[in-house]
Amino acid sequence: MKKEDMLFGVVNCLRLHVYSEPKEDSEVICKLRFLTEVIIDLGSSTEEFYKIYTAIGAEGFCQKELLTIK
């Protein structure tokens, strides 16, 4: 991931599903709680989903409207 493609975000919903692929019917890798901070990879994101990395080492996709950019 290039530094210019990296942003920081925070979960803005009670429970955020992190998916293995950028679609809602894919496997849920983990669930994140409200105000959890993540790293966003814009280069690997899609129109509707951000590619994210968590502090616990999980990586996957979540819906854009459920994160707030810091």
Side-chain angles (χ1 to χ4, degrees):
M1 170 175 35
K2 298 177 188 174
K3 190 172 182 171
E4 58 268 12
D5 287 340
M6 185 175 68
L7 291 176
F8 294 94
V10 64
V11 175
N12 66 18
C13 63
L14 291 179
R15 187 153 304 190
L16 175 73
H17 289 180
V18 179
Y19 299 101
S20 60
E21 298 178 48
K23 54 187 178 178
E24 286 185 66
D25 62 350
S26 65
E27 176 187 359
V28 175
I29 296 171
C30 66
K31 297 175 185 176
L32 302 178
R33 294 180 185 193
F34 182 64
L35 297 180
T36 300
E37 295 182 347
V38 298
I39 297 172
I40 299 169
D41 180 355
L42 290 176
S44 298
S45 296
T46 68
E47 188 174 314
E48 295 180 21
F49 288 83
Y50 283 130
K51 171 74 180 263
I52 63 165
Y53 299 89
T54 70
I56 60 170
E59 67 177 83
F61 295 87
C62 68
Q63 295 172 310
K64 286 185 172 182
E65 66 267 10
L66 301 177
L67 285 181
T68 299
I69 303 299
K70 288 178 69 177

